Amino acid sequence: MPVTLDITGKTRVFGIIADPIHHVRAPMVFNEMFERTGRDAIMVPLHVRPEQLPTAVEGFKAMPNFGGLCVTVPHKVEIMKLCDTLGEQGRLIGATNAVRFDPDGRMSGDMFDGKGFIAGMRCQGFEPAGKSVLQLGAGGAGRAIAFALASEGVSKLVIHNRTRDKAEELATAVKAAYPSVPVEAGDADPRGLEIIVNTTSLGLHDEDPLPMETGLISPEHLVAEIIMIPVETPLLKAAKAKGAQVHYGRHMLDEQITLIADYIGA
Ligand code: ATR
């Protein structure tokens, strides 16, 4: 659907920074939301090279009608170092994907991948607090989701990753941040656990192997994805065939957009 924003001198400007920039979807998603909700705002793609990030940030700070940023590859870690304040998840994860410029000149950042996942579960009526979870994957997205699950008070978190060291490292970091939550690196065995979350990239491509032995899934499980396309990953198809409940990848992004919009004041 084409967006026909009515841009005036009062319109507040937001941006998404990336390198490369051509693939970003935030302008479409945010501008559609601005139009739908009648907000006088626009989001534009801003191509910022890594070496120019500090210069670009100084420029954003210099513009009073510039509200904030969505941040993606390769800037998520570097922009965090330029922030004056960081939200808890951003600090723990060591990366930010949203940055806000406050009227007092301060720049604040936080990471919403994990919070978006949690909000997405809740919007579908699934409550992670108090539940035991098998998380598959300990990459960038897995890191964010593990900290968010722990911050919500899951009863147990088992992290499985192909590269076991990364699962051990992440489990140690999450345990240090949330000592009351039992967290461990382990096998991809969901028996005795309630929720399975796939945070690996397996399922994005037709030729991908499954991220776990799906014969171990039972009707009591909730199986969650963060992959948006395909909607029905082989893991979700297998989970449905086993009679398990499934949770689709798109909810994480949908809810994250709302959280980021609130954060950056969009
Ligand atoms: P993202 O930022 O999307 O999370 P990432 O940081 O590259 O991407 O993480 C990808 C995740 O998928 C990791 O957990 C990765 O496992 P490794 O840490 O062992 O690389 C997992 N992954 C990717 N390809 C995989 C494969 N063929 N088999 C098992 N796990 C795989």
Side-chain angles (χ1 to χ4, degrees), residues 37-101:
T37 56
R39 276 183 251 194
D40 191 4
I42 183 168
M43 176 167 287
V44 291
L46 300 164
H47 190 178
V48 177
R49 303 267 191 220
E51 64 279 11
Q52 294 295 338
L53 182 65
T55 311
V57 163
E58 283 312 305
F60 302 143
K61 284 183 174 173
M63 294 183 281
N65 69 341
F66 193 82
L69 289 169
C70 289
V71 180
T72 187
V73 178
H75 302 302
K76 289 184 187 183
V77 174
E78 290 308 311
I79 202 161
M80 181 194 68
K81 299 174 188 168
L82 303 173
C83 289
D84 298 301
T85 53
L86 283 175
E88 182 182 77
Q89 293 289 302
R91 181 174 51 75
L92 291 170
I93 294 155
T96 65
N97 68 347
V99 164
R100 182 176 80 208
F101 298 91

Side-chain angles (χ1 to χ4, degrees), residues 19 35 56 62 64 79 114-115 123 160 167 170 238 245 247 254 266:
D19 177 36
E35 179 141 289
I79 202 161
K115 294 180 195 188
C123 86
H160 170 78
L170 179 56
Q245 285 189 294
H247 178 73
D254 289 349

Side-chain angles (χ1 to χ4, degrees), residues 94 118 139 150 167 176 233 235 242 255 265:
I118 301 290
T233 60
L235 175 66
K242 286 277 180 181
E255 293 307 303

Side-chain angles (χ1 to χ4, degrees), residues 23 25 140-141 162 198-212 224-237 248-250 252:
H23 63 289
R25 291 180 51 230
R162 169 179 61 177
N198 178 34
T199 74
T200 75
S201 49
L202 296 177
L204 271 174
H205 306 290
D206 288 344
E207 65 277 13
D208 286 345
L210 283 158
M212 63 176 288
E225 268 292 3
I226 63 167
I227 290 172
M228 287 183 290
I229 299 170
V231 173
E232 299 272 358
T233 60
L235 175 66
L236 292 187
K237 279 186 191 156
Y248 293 102
R250 69 166 188 279
M252 171 170 154

